[in-house]
Amino acid sequence: MAMTGILRPGHAQIRVLDLEESVKWYTDVLGLVPMGRDSQGRAYFKARQERDHNSIILRQADRAGMDFFGYKVLDQAALDGLEKKIRDYGIQTERIPAGDLMETGERVRFKVPTGHTTELYVDKKPAGNAVGTENPNVDVIDGPGIGPVRLDHCLIYGKDIDGNHDFYTKVLGFHLVERVKMEDGTTDLAIWLSCSAKAHDIAMVRHSEDDKLHHVAFQVTSWEQVLRSADILSNNRASIDVGPTRHGITNGTTVYFFDPSGNRLETFSGGYDHYPDMEPTTWTWDEVGAGIFYHPRKLNEAFLTVVT
Amino acid sequence: MAMTGILRPGHAQIRVLDLEESVKWYTDVLGLVPMGRDSQGRAYFKARQERDHNSIILRQADRAGMDFFGYKVLDQAALDGLEKKIRDYGIQTERIPAGDLMETGERVRFKVPTGHTTELYVDKKPAGNAVGTENPNVDVIDGPGIGPVRLDHCLIYGKDIDGNHDFYTKVLGFHLVERVKMEDGTTDLAIWLSCSAKAHDIAMVRHSEDDKLHHVAFQVTSWEQVLRSADILSNNRASIDVGPTRHGITNGTTVYFFDPSGNRLETFSGGYDHYPDMEPTTWTWDEVGAGIFYHPRKLNEAFLTVVT
Amino acid sequence: MAMTGILRPGHAQIRVLDLEESVKWYTDVLGLVPMGRDSQGRAYFKARQERDHNSIILRQADRAGMDFFGYKVLDQAALDGLEKKIRDYGIQTERIPAGDLMETGERVRFKVPTGHTTELYVDKKPAGNAVGTENPNVDVIDGPGIGPVRLDHCLIYGKDIDGNHDFYTKVLGFHLVERVKMEDGTTDLAIWLSCSAKAHDIAMVRHSEDDKLHHVAFQVTSWEQVLRSADILSNNRASIDVGPTRHGITNGTTVYFFDPSGNRLETFSGGYDHYPDMEPTTWTWDEVGAGIFYHPRKLNEAFLTVVT
Amino acid sequence: MAMTGILRPGHAQIRVLDLEESVKWYTDVLGLVPMGRDSQGRAYFKARQERDHNSIILRQADRAGMDFFGYKVLDQAALDGLEKKIRDYGIQTERIPAGDLMETGERVRFKVPTGHTTELYVDKKPAGNAVGTENPNVDVIDGPGIGPVRLDHCLIYGKDIDGNHDFYTKVLGFHLVERVKMEDGTTDLAIWLSCSAKAHDIAMVRHSEDDKLHHVAFQVTSWEQVLRSADILSNNRASIDVGPTRHGITNGTTVYFFDPSGNRLETFSGGYDHYPDMEPTTWTWDEVGAGIFYHPRKLNEAFLTVVT
């Protein structure tokens, strides 16, 4: 975790156009565990090896996208300290009362410079993984559905990437893992940030419009599970954007695809460990294609332009 | 093997535009074992687990493509029997004397209905695999280069696919494994044929021009080795056509790429067993995309049009 | 297939001590597809990618072991030819009428020199694989149960290994792939034989008692599926004999385990291709351990002594 | 990292009986990168994806074992704070001057309650990974040698496990991930601790003698790389203790083996993420076998008794 006490990405609320269709798809194709609905009609899910009650919340809306992304924090002292740092930095915060999200405690909510609503929270009810914590069996991942092990990270698009970079590193305590430079050789086109030793807990790309989602990513356990993801997606006639392939950036292996509302999702495996003492990796403008998709060494049009 | 005594694809002679550049690339990037040159200047290679002296022959020419594709036959009696059957079928044969190809015995040469020069032979000097045949070590596949284990099959393009189908099954004893139908629902666009229990020993696609090569394929041992192939290709800035992905047809996992002369090659893994008593699989015109590339469920332009 | 027309191992009848318990175990743990029972109370199964009606038949008995092992033959002419060759060789044959085994045609039955009842047959009703033969989906292997793709081979124990070797190669048309020598450097302790290009369709070990079964083997598609096999076996508290590990012989990756009656089974992946023109591999007495289990380079006691 | 600023295991000094033989073995078989020797004759190595100058130091001695194990710390302030906490806890510390270890800054050294010499340090000269930090190629892991990506953790044996547990969690800021209980159901036989989100950065087992080493572990990138490790070890006639297999504890896949001096090493892959907010997993005495080696569900004698 970061020395600020931020542990990990904990939840993402995603907008879908048809809730019932989406609940079925996130259950049967993506293979998340349905965890119930709240009084607002939102549907809750967790990944199979996650231990907290929920990580993905689906909300019916008239356009796709992500409402907010939340990080779990170690304890109340860390949360209070973070809230103070955020306010001292000049960003307003709001407290959302416990219970607004199912089985979730009070959240501190704020907008990062790119306009994305972001949250910190301490409590989410333990709901148990698939195998328990006494003499557990090995969790053999069987279907139906992909069955990723956890929510891992998201990639967001917006204008003020430098502002986000500054805020995420100085206030939230993330560290820079990789970056892509623009043609000028100076400006960051995109950055990958970590609050742990993972290659990324969040990433962001410079874009003309704020508060946009590129994708939400889930971890699977191997390159063979990435293949199984793609097979299951095609068996179910889901739209695959790119992959299976490897990222140059992070070295993860990946497949990108769209949910029924057009939100891009990713299941990926691997990626190197990166600690705060390590020099970030830099990709120059002419090699951004290889950075994103290492095998074709070029981007596809949809990857660059389709966001929700 | 086929009951005619045809064992397996044994060699392919490939035309390259710059022999020295190609020898380096087939050695360092593809990872074949260089086996020497002959008095005509042709360069010989074998894959690491192959036991015969050579399987790939490179010949410098002013255009890329494949000169001929040869099958190894069990014994002289089988070869004589096959030659008689070929002539009885109405196709002329020619005997190429032993030694014309390095360490290779006499070959029976003929043209199949699509105009591809095809050969049968019995003798090729044993050259040993990487580990020997007494208390062998396990062959750990290390680089530089991909290091496929064997030449596996080729895919050829030409006009008279029905003629090839008839000849290959009735005379050579291959059996049909899969087929793709054209829009009329009747005509075969493409067929996959086996002389063994492999999913294919040769495949062919209907095309306006005869004697064309789509690709020569090499086997690797796992999906992770397909990934390693793609990583090595990108590390060496080779041009990757498609993949890593899975074929619907045969279920193999694959990456397609081009040698420096523009010849398309494939390294693949897997594919189901198919025996002569099994019903072939049929793909309809509207699903040909999924048949070829199972994840995107559509073909790319280069795959359809670029042949050598 | 062999030039005699023998295609592949097609069925094995296994004796179990408690049929109901075994049916449940072969379904839920091994993950075979239950295909019904016959009037004698025998239970039939197929592996998920097999296309014929059955490959494993369980018969309740008071001791474990294998009643018979059968090969599928290309057509009636090949079967008649084989029967004549067997009789000419001096081995009696018997015709078991169609229907004695469910959905299975007439079988030619005989005893090989080690006393194992062996069968040849042409007809078994097609029952379809999991995905069909028109525009099939990819068969994603999900549980419960291991879900091997096919019956692959068996390893038998008996006295007259030389007699079996002679009969299998001269009469049935198999070829020798690997052998282990005894301390004298001459006598075969064990041999691996193929009627295809697989590394083995049957194997046999010299032993003081005839008609014994060491194991029946099923193919899975990858080393990761071998791991999944072992995880599922342990999750179900099945007794694992050895593995996951690699064989030096054939290079396959493997796990051995016992069914509830004590019959040893194997799920394995890989193994090199071997054609009749290739020199067999020989293991000397001092390296037999590495030949069988490549990583420990020694045998465990149970592997050597426990047969059914 | 821990909130105390401890980043990760950074180095281990291992005693070997024959330095030249060991340098050759750690280079050619384990596949570490040799980084030079110091004036005391110690030999330095790093793993291929590590960025600091060294992680393994070999010292010739008349008995095998581990001299010390060191953790890298974020910055000088964190190091000073940790030193004060250690002293306040009642454990003496010593400062080893910069340069005592090659390219390594000042180290704070102390003994944990089980008598193991442990170190903290901030500075180790960056030496670069195999691919650099600008537009890097993918690091394709080729031999000779296993080529693990990083030093990952060690398992130590000693008397006062409870003392270590208290010290490691209260002073160093590690958190408990898994534990094995003794027959009394209360006492910890063994504990697994993390200073990150990895399943373990160190583990320890209750034992009658202090300051003992069970194994030092290196990470590889996949289950297939665990197989490759085992193949390479057997090809080189290294002594394999156990595996490939899976741990119940941490879920990692693993192979254990001995260096030429009898020090046990491990290459492993996988293992779940564990954060400080998660409940530890507990294994009861009767299931310790499954906890350690999930497939056989029992321990081998050597694993329990052989330490250095």
Side-chain angles (χ1 to χ4, degrees):
Chain A
M1 63 183 152
M3 283 194 65
T4 55
I6 293 185
L7 293 170
R8 64 179 176 276
H11 61 230
Q13 183 165 306
I14 297 172
R15 294 188 298 271
V16 296
L17 305 182
D18 179 330
L19 187 67
E20 298 314 318
E21 171 196 49
S22 295
V23 165
K24 187 169 167 43
W25 190 90
Y26 277 78
T27 306
D28 294 346
V29 181
L30 186 54
L32 297 184
V33 183
M35 296 299 291
R37 301 199 189 183
D38 66 16
S39 59
Q40 300 176 40
R42 294 179 296 188
Y44 292 71
F45 297 86
K46 67 185 278 295
R48 61 191 294 143
Q49 293 185 3
E50 289 172 340
R51 306 188 186 195
D52 287 346
H53 180 272
N54 59 75
S55 59
I56 293 293
I57 305 106
L58 300 185
R59 180 174 74 83
Q60 177 143 344
D62 56 7
R63 63 187 179 92
M66 183 169 71
D67 283 333
F68 54 80
F69 192 67
Y71 299 97
K72 194 172 190 190
V73 173
L74 181 62
D75 55 25
Q76 192 62 38
L79 184 64
D80 293 343
L82 280 159
E83 187 179 34
K84 180 172 186 313
K85 285 181 70 178
I86 294 166
R87 289 183 173 183
D88 289 349
Y89 188 81
I91 288 180
Q92 289 184 313
T93 66
E94 176 189 8
R95 291 241 171 181
I96 312 293
D100 173 77
L101 278 184
M102 268 182 84
E103 308 290 7
T104 305
E106 191 182 41
R107 293 126 68 203
V108 171
R109 176 181 282 186
F110 51 95
K111 289 199 178 190
V112 297
T114 52
H116 295 81
T117 301
T118 305
E119 300 184 343
L120 304 174
Y121 67 94
V122 173
D123 294 315
K124 202 176 282 265
K125 187 184 173 187
N129 60 12
V131 293
T133 54
E134 185 175 302
N135 302 328
N137 275 359
V138 164
D139 181 22
V140 174
I141 296 175
D142 284 324
I146 294 169
V149 300
R150 64 172 290 190
L151 167 65
D152 189 85
H153 66 272
C154 70
L155 171 56
I156 58 176
Y157 272 44
K159 280 179 264 190
D160 189 6
I161 296 304
D162 303 325
N164 271 17
H165 187 172
D166 192 72
F167 174 74
Y168 258 98
T169 52
K170 290 197 183 143
V171 179
L172 301 186
F174 285 51
H175 67 277
L176 179 67
V177 179
E178 304 218 17
R179 65 170 74 199
V180 175
K181 291 291 180 188
M182 297 190 74
E183 280 180 292
D184 63 12
T186 307
T187 313
D188 284 335
L189 171 66
I191 56 175
W192 283 256
L193 300 169
S194 177
C195 62
S196 64
K198 287 166 47 194
H200 44 4
D201 286 300
I202 191 164
M204 43 200 75
V205 171
R206 193 176 299 270
H207 184 68
S208 57
E209 204 178 354
D210 268 347
D211 195 18
K212 288 295 176 185
L213 172 69
H214 187 272
H215 70 267
V216 173
F218 299 88
Q219 188 195 36
V220 296
T221 55
S222 68
W223 170 236
E224 188 161 313
Q225 288 281 324
V226 173
L227 174 64
R228 180 178 169 276
S229 296
D231 288 343
I232 287 173
L233 290 164
S234 182
N235 280 354
N236 286 281
R237 305 301 186 266
S239 171
I240 294 178
D241 183 21
V242 184
T245 188
R246 184 193 284 282
H247 293 300
I249 294 161
T250 79
N251 282 355
T253 58
T254 178
V255 60
Y256 285 108
F257 50 98
F258 295 101
D259 81 358
S261 306
N263 292 299
R264 189 188 284 97
L265 304 176
E266 178 188 26
T267 52
F268 82 101
S269 177
Y272 58 78
D273 298 336
H274 195 273
Y275 291 86
D277 64 318
M278 294 177 177
E279 187 190 353
T281 289
T282 300
W283 295 81
T284 55
W285 175 256
D286 52 313
E287 290 285 0
V288 57
I292 303 294
F293 298 127
Y294 193 66
H295 300 144
R297 301 187 81 87
K298 64 186 175 211
L299 301 179
N300 69 344
E301 185 63 19
F303 188 84
L304 285 171
T305 57
V306 177
V307 290
T308 55
Chain B
M1 64 184 152
M3 283 194 67
T4 55
I6 293 185
L7 293 170
R8 64 178 174 276
H11 60 230
Q13 182 165 307
I14 297 172
R15 294 187 298 271
V16 296
L17 304 182
D18 179 330
L19 188 67
E20 299 313 318
E21 172 197 48
S22 295
V23 165
K24 187 168 167 44
W25 190 91
Y26 277 79
T27 306
D28 293 346
V29 181
L30 186 54
L32 298 185
V33 183
M35 297 299 291
R37 302 200 188 181
D38 66 16
S39 58
Q40 301 176 41
R42 294 179 295 188
Y44 292 72
F45 298 87
K46 66 185 280 294
R48 61 190 297 142
Q49 292 186 2
E50 289 172 340
R51 306 187 186 196
D52 287 346
H53 181 273
N54 59 75
S55 59
I56 294 293
I57 306 106
L58 301 185
R59 180 175 73 83
Q60 177 144 343
D62 55 6
R63 62 187 181 94
M66 182 170 71
D67 283 333
F68 53 80
F69 192 68
Y71 299 97
K72 195 172 191 189
V73 172
L74 181 62
D75 56 25
Q76 193 61 40
L79 183 66
D80 293 343
L82 280 159
E83 186 179 35
K84 180 173 187 311
K85 285 181 69 178
I86 294 165
R87 290 184 173 181
D88 289 350
Y89 189 79
I91 288 179
Q92 287 184 313
T93 66
E94 176 189 7
R95 292 239 171 183
I96 311 293
D100 172 75
L101 279 184
M102 269 182 84
E103 307 290 8
T104 305
E106 191 182 42
R107 293 126 68 203
V108 171
R109 176 182 282 184
F110 51 94
K111 288 199 179 189
V112 298
T114 52
H116 295 82
T117 300
T118 306
E119 301 184 343
L120 305 173
Y121 66 93
V122 173
D123 295 314
K124 201 176 283 264
K125 188 184 172 187
N129 59 12
V131 292
T133 55
E134 186 176 301
N135 302 328
N137 275 359
V138 164
D139 181 22
V140 174
I141 295 175
D142 284 324
I146 294 170
V149 300
R150 65 172 291 191
L151 167 65
D152 189 86
H153 66 271
C154 70
L155 170 57
I156 58 176
Y157 272 45
K159 279 179 265 191
D160 189 5
I161 296 304
D162 303 326
N164 271 17
H165 187 173
D166 192 71
F167 174 74
Y168 259 98
T169 52
K170 289 198 185 142
V171 179
L172 301 186
F174 285 52
H175 66 277
L176 179 67
V177 179
E178 303 218 17
R179 67 170 74 199
V180 175
K181 291 291 181 188
M182 296 189 75
E183 279 181 292
D184 64 11
T186 306
T187 314
D188 284 335
L189 170 66
I191 56 174
W192 283 255
L193 300 170
S194 177
C195 63
S196 64
K198 286 167 48 194
H200 45 3
D201 287 299
I202 191 165
M204 44 200 76
V205 171
R206 193 176 300 270
H207 184 68
S208 57
E209 204 177 354
D210 267 347
D211 194 20
K212 288 295 175 186
L213 172 69
H214 187 272
H215 71 266
V216 174
F218 300 87
Q219 189 195 32
V220 295
T221 55
S222 68
W223 170 235
E224 188 161 314
Q225 288 282 324
V226 172
L227 174 64
R228 180 177 169 275
S229 297
D231 288 342
I232 288 172
L233 290 164
S234 182
N235 281 353
N236 286 281
R237 306 301 185 266
S239 172
I240 293 178
D241 183 20
V242 184
T245 188
R246 184 193 284 282
H247 293 302
I249 294 161
T250 78
N251 282 355
T253 57
T254 179
V255 60
Y256 285 108
F257 49 99
F258 295 101
D259 81 357
S261 306
N263 292 299
R264 188 188 284 98
L265 304 177
E266 178 189 25
T267 52
F268 82 102
S269 177
Y272 58 78
D273 298 336
H274 195 274
Y275 291 85
D277 63 318
M278 293 177 178
E279 187 190 353
T281 289
T282 300
W283 295 80
T284 55
W285 176 254
D286 52 314
E287 291 285 1
V288 56
I292 303 295
F293 299 126
Y294 192 67
H295 300 144
R297 302 188 81 87
K298 64 185 176 213
L299 302 179
N300 68 344
E301 185 63 19
F303 188 84
L304 284 171
T305 57
V306 177
V307 290
T308 55
Chain C
M1 65 185 150
M3 282 192 69
T4 55
I6 294 185
L7 293 169
R8 64 179 175 276
H11 61 230
Q13 182 165 307
I14 297 172
R15 294 188 297 271
V16 295
L17 304 183
D18 179 329
L19 187 66
E20 299 314 318
E21 172 195 49
S22 294
V23 164
K24 185 167 169 45
W25 190 91
Y26 277 79
T27 306
D28 294 346
V29 181
L30 187 54
L32 297 184
V33 183
M35 297 299 291
R37 302 200 188 182
D38 66 15
S39 59
Q40 300 176 40
R42 294 179 295 188
Y44 291 72
F45 297 86
K46 67 184 279 295
R48 61 190 294 144
Q49 293 187 3
E50 289 172 340
R51 306 187 186 195
D52 288 346
H53 180 272
N54 59 75
S55 59
I56 293 293
I57 306 106
L58 300 184
R59 180 174 73 84
Q60 177 144 345
D62 56 6
R63 62 187 180 92
M66 183 170 71
D67 284 332
F68 54 81
F69 192 69
Y71 299 98
K72 195 172 190 190
V73 173
L74 181 62
D75 55 24
Q76 192 61 38
L79 183 65
D80 293 343
L82 280 158
E83 186 179 36
K84 181 172 186 311
K85 284 181 71 178
I86 295 166
R87 289 183 175 184
D88 290 349
Y89 189 78
I91 288 179
Q92 288 183 313
T93 66
E94 176 190 8
R95 292 241 171 183
I96 312 293
D100 173 76
L101 278 184
M102 268 182 83
E103 307 290 8
T104 306
E106 191 181 41
R107 293 127 67 204
V108 171
R109 176 182 282 185
F110 51 94
K111 289 200 177 188
V112 297
T114 52
H116 295 81
T117 299
T118 306
E119 300 184 343
L120 304 173
Y121 67 93
V122 172
D123 294 315
K124 203 176 282 265
K125 187 184 173 186
N129 60 12
V131 292
T133 54
E134 185 176 301
N135 302 329
N137 275 359
V138 164
D139 181 23
V140 174
I141 295 176
D142 285 324
I146 294 169
V149 301
R150 65 172 291 192
L151 167 66
D152 189 85
H153 66 271
C154 70
L155 170 56
I156 58 176
Y157 272 45
K159 279 179 264 189
D160 190 5
I161 296 304
D162 303 326
N164 271 17
H165 187 172
D166 192 72
F167 174 75
Y168 258 97
T169 51
K170 290 198 184 140
V171 179
L172 300 187
F174 285 52
H175 66 277
L176 180 67
V177 179
E178 303 218 17
R179 66 170 75 199
V180 175
K181 290 291 180 188
M182 297 189 74
E183 279 180 292
D184 63 11
T186 308
T187 314
D188 285 334
L189 170 66
I191 56 174
W192 283 255
L193 300 169
S194 176
C195 63
S196 63
K198 286 166 47 193
H200 45 3
D201 287 300
I202 192 165
M204 44 200 75
V205 172
R206 193 175 300 270
H207 184 67
S208 58
E209 205 178 353
D210 268 346
D211 194 18
K212 287 295 175 184
L213 172 68
H214 187 272
H215 70 265
V216 173
F218 299 87
Q219 189 195 33
V220 295
T221 55
S222 69
W223 170 235
E224 188 161 314
Q225 289 281 324
V226 173
L227 174 63
R228 180 177 170 276
S229 296
D231 288 342
I232 287 173
L233 290 164
S234 182
N235 280 354
N236 287 280
R237 306 300 184 268
S239 171
I240 293 178
D241 184 20
V242 184
T245 188
R246 183 192 285 281
H247 293 300
I249 294 162
T250 77
N251 282 355
T253 58
T254 179
V255 60
Y256 285 108
F257 50 98
F258 295 100
D259 81 358
S261 305
N263 292 299
R264 189 188 285 98
L265 304 176
E266 178 189 26
T267 52
F268 82 102
S269 177
Y272 57 78
D273 299 336
H274 195 273
Y275 290 86
D277 64 317
M278 293 178 178
E279 188 189 352
T281 289
T282 300
W283 295 81
T284 55
W285 176 254
D286 52 313
E287 291 285 1
V288 57
I292 303 294
F293 298 127
Y294 193 67
H295 300 143
R297 301 188 81 87
K298 63 186 175 212
L299 301 179
N300 68 344
E301 186 63 19
F303 188 84
L304 285 171
T305 57
V306 177
V307 290
T308 54
Chain D
M1 63 184 153
M3 282 191 71
T4 54
I6 294 185
L7 294 169
R8 63 178 174 277
H11 61 230
Q13 182 165 306
I14 297 171
R15 294 188 298 271
V16 297
L17 305 181
D18 179 330
L19 187 67
E20 299 313 318
E21 172 196 48
S22 295
V23 164
K24 186 168 167 44
W25 190 91
Y26 276 79
T27 306
D28 293 346
V29 181
L30 187 53
L32 297 185
V33 183
M35 296 299 290
R37 301 199 189 183
D38 66 17
S39 59
Q40 300 176 40
R42 294 179 295 188
Y44 292 72
F45 297 86
K46 66 185 280 294
R48 62 191 295 143
Q49 292 186 3
E50 289 172 339
R51 306 188 185 195
D52 287 346
H53 179 273
N54 59 76
S55 59
I56 294 293
I57 305 107
L58 300 184
R59 180 174 73 84
Q60 177 143 343
D62 56 6
R63 62 187 180 95
M66 182 169 71
D67 284 332
F68 54 79
F69 192 68
Y71 299 97
K72 195 172 191 190
V73 173
L74 181 62
D75 55 26
Q76 192 63 38
L79 183 66
D80 294 343
L82 280 158
E83 187 179 35
K84 181 173 186 311
K85 284 181 70 179
I86 295 165
R87 289 184 173 181
D88 290 349
Y89 189 79
I91 288 180
Q92 289 183 312
T93 65
E94 177 190 5
R95 293 240 170 182
I96 313 292
D100 173 76
L101 279 184
M102 269 182 83
E103 308 289 8
T104 305
E106 191 182 41
R107 293 126 68 203
V108 170
R109 176 180 283 185
F110 52 95
K111 288 201 178 188
V112 298
T114 52
H116 294 82
T117 300
T118 306
E119 300 184 343
L120 304 174
Y121 67 94
V122 172
D123 294 315
K124 202 176 281 264
K125 187 184 172 186
N129 60 11
V131 293
T133 54
E134 185 175 301
N135 302 328
N137 274 359
V138 164
D139 180 23
V140 174
I141 295 175
D142 285 324
I146 294 170
V149 300
R150 65 171 291 190
L151 167 65
D152 189 85
H153 66 271
C154 70
L155 171 57
I156 57 177
Y157 272 44
K159 279 179 265 190
D160 189 6
I161 296 304
D162 304 325
N164 271 16
H165 187 173
D166 193 71
F167 173 75
Y168 259 98
T169 52
K170 290 197 184 141
V171 179
L172 301 186
F174 285 52
H175 67 277
L176 180 67
V177 179
E178 304 219 16
R179 65 170 74 200
V180 175
K181 291 291 180 188
M182 297 190 74
E183 280 181 292
D184 64 11
T186 307
T187 314
D188 283 336
L189 171 65
I191 56 175
W192 282 256
L193 299 169
S194 177
C195 62
S196 63
K198 286 167 47 194
H200 45 2
D201 287 300
I202 191 164
M204 43 200 76
V205 172
R206 193 175 299 269
H207 184 67
S208 57
E209 205 177 352
D210 267 348
D211 194 19
K212 288 295 174 184
L213 172 68
H214 187 272
H215 71 266
V216 173
F218 299 88
Q219 189 194 33
V220 295
T221 55
S222 69
W223 170 235
E224 189 161 313
Q225 288 282 324
V226 172
L227 174 64
R228 180 177 170 276
S229 296
D231 288 342
I232 287 173
L233 290 165
S234 183
N235 280 353
N236 286 281
R237 305 300 185 267
S239 172
I240 293 178
D241 184 20
V242 184
T245 187
R246 183 194 283 282
H247 294 302
I249 294 161
T250 77
N251 282 355
T253 58
T254 178
V255 59
Y256 285 108
F257 50 98
F258 296 101
D259 81 358
S261 305
N263 292 300
R264 189 188 283 98
L265 304 176
E266 178 188 25
T267 52
F268 83 101
S269 178
Y272 57 78
D273 298 336
H274 195 274
Y275 290 86
D277 63 318
M278 293 177 179
E279 187 190 354
T281 289
T282 300
W283 295 81
T284 56
W285 176 255
D286 52 312
E287 291 284 1
V288 57
I292 303 294
F293 298 127
Y294 193 66
H295 300 143
R297 301 188 81 86
K298 64 185 175 212
L299 302 179
N300 69 344
E301 186 63 18
F303 188 85
L304 285 171
T305 58
V306 177
V307 290
T308 56

